[in-house]
């Protein structure tokens, strides 16, 4: 493997179609597509300032690097990335990629990031300003994770999240087969139109959560007082170890909670309209 060390590049495609190279303390200045159509690349202690540095790559490792804001849309149409101990200041990272492993990575400007990606693993990752994160992505595993940004995980499939703090309006819309464990989920309109969304040991905050959901499951969860008008038109199996501010017109299933501020079952409820609502200490309250 060729090593390129203590060097600076700029302009368009300075390392185009390079293979089996190691970059050590290299700076990529303003320009475009510095490492396009490359394979088997290692980058250590490097700084990327130019646009689109890694496109159409196959197999690359990024450690202890910095992507400045100018390195926007840095990793697209590529396969087999391992990134660790890296700060990404650039937006629109990771598009149409297969095989992403991030560890101890911080992305403070993560808008429109991780779109249409497959086979993604995140560990100890923090993202901020992450609007439209993970759009149309699938096969995702996440652990020890913090995120601030709205409209996240929309249209995702096959997702497992553990030990997360997610602050996101409209999170998990139109998802399929998502499970979240031991996490805090804050933001209005959580999980609308989802299929087989499962929340285990989670704290849920924000108005009108979990409406229009199909085959929704909550296990040992709690709901904050602002989580009102929950479960409208959803099919749900839920055990909630807290009071619930209000439940509105669930379609079917079972809901058990410590107590309810209000249960709304009106003329707008949809068939089969047979959800059984109970508390842990009493018999059936409503159906």
């Amino acid at each position: 493997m060729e090593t390129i060390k203590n060097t600076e590049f700029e302009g368009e495609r300075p390392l185009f179609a390079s293979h089996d190279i190691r970059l050590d303390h290299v700076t990529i200045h303003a320009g475009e597509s510095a490492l396009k159509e490359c394979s088997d690349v290692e980058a250590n202690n490097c700084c990327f300032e130019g646009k689109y540095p890694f496109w159409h790559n196959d197999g690359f490792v990024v450690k202890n690097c910095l992507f400045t804001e100018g390195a926007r849309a840095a990793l697209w149409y590529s396969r087999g990335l391992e990134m660790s101990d890296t700060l990404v200041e650039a937006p629109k990272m990771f598009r149409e990629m297969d095989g992403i492993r991030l560890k101890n990575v911080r992305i403070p400007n993560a808008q429109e990031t991780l779109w249409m990606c497959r086979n993604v693993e995140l560990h100890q990752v923090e993202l901020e300003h992450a609007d439209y994160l993970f759009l149309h992505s699938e096969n995702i595993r996440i652990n020890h994770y913090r995120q601030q940004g709205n409209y996240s995980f929309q249209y995702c499939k096959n997702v497992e999240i553990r030990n997360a703090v997610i602050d996101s309006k409209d999170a998990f819309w139109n998802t399929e087969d998502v499970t979240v464990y031991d996490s805090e989920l804050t933001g209005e309109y959580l999980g609308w139109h989802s299929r087989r969304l499962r929340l285990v040991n989670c704290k849920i905050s924000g108005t009108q959560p979990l409406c229009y959901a199909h085959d929704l499951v909550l296990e040992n969860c709690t709901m904050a007082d602002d989580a009102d008008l929950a479960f409208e038109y959803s099919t749900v199996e839920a055990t909630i170890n807290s009071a619930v501010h209000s439940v509105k017109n669930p379609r079917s299933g079972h809901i058990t909670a410590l107590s309810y501020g209000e249960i709304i079952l009106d003329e707008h409820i949809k068939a089969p309209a047979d959800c059984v609502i109970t508390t842990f200490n009493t018999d059936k309250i409503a159906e």
Side-chain angles (χ1 to χ4, degrees), residues 2-180:
E2 178 188 1
T3 297
I4 301 172
K5 189 172 183 179
N6 299 323
T7 305
E8 301 180 13
F9 295 96
E10 61 183 353
E12 187 168 349
R13 299 188 178 188
L15 294 167
F16 181 80
S18 296
H19 307 284
D20 295 308
I21 61 171
R22 178 183 293 112
L23 307 181
D24 188 358
H25 288 87
V26 169
T27 298
I28 305 294
H29 292 298
E32 296 186 7
S33 305
L35 289 145
K36 189 174 183 179
E37 293 287 353
C38 295
S39 66
D40 299 317
V41 176
E42 293 185 14
N44 297 285
N45 299 295
C46 296
C47 179
F48 298 93
E49 300 173 355
K51 295 185 288 187
Y52 328 134
F54 289 98
W55 278 39
H56 298 280
N57 278 256
D58 191 357
F60 52 122
V61 176
V62 178
K63 296 181 180 179
N64 297 299
C65 290
L66 169 64
F67 291 81
T68 70
E69 187 174 357
R72 59 193 302 111
L75 297 101
W76 287 27
Y77 306 108
S78 296
R79 296 163 300 281
L81 166 68
E82 294 188 18
M83 178 183 288
S84 60
D85 304 309
T86 290
L87 174 61
V88 178
E89 296 175 344
K92 301 185 178 182
M93 295 284 286
F94 314 113
R95 298 273 185 96
E96 293 275 10
M97 292 185 61
D98 190 350
I100 299 173
R101 297 178 64 185
L102 306 183
K103 183 177 181 181
N104 194 27
V105 172
R106 182 167 174 259
I107 310 178
N109 188 19
Q111 59 183 295
E112 300 181 25
T113 288
L114 285 157
W115 282 16
M116 294 169 284
C117 292
R118 300 165 300 283
N119 304 311
V120 180
E121 296 182 17
L122 273 58
H123 185 71
Q124 294 179 333
V125 172
E126 296 186 15
L127 304 103
E128 301 169 26
H129 303 290
D131 286 359
Y132 297 102
L133 180 73
F134 273 115
L135 187 68
H136 286 289
S137 293
E138 61 184 42
N139 302 335
I140 301 164
R141 299 293 179 268
I142 295 174
N143 199 356
H144 295 288
Y145 172 82
R146 298 185 69 90
Q147 174 209 314
Q148 184 281 316
N150 296 324
Y151 323 112
S152 58
F153 295 95
Q154 293 192 355
Y155 298 96
C156 285
K157 297 180 180 179
N158 189 21
V159 180
E160 181 182 286
I161 300 173
R162 296 178 181 269
N163 304 302
V165 177
I166 296 175
D167 179 1
S168 175
K169 172 183 176 180
D170 292 356
F172 303 111
W173 276 52
N174 297 95
T175 55
E176 295 184 17
D177 300 306
V178 173
T179 302
V180 184

Side-chain angles (χ1 to χ4, degrees), residues 210-236:
L210 305 167
C211 300
Y212 293 90
H214 300 268
D215 301 318
L216 171 69
V217 175
L218 277 69
E219 301 176 22
N220 195 37
C221 291
T222 60
M223 301 185 80
D225 189 58
D226 65 348
D228 61 339
L229 304 173
F231 307 121
E232 185 174 22
Y233 302 142
S234 292
T235 57
V236 53

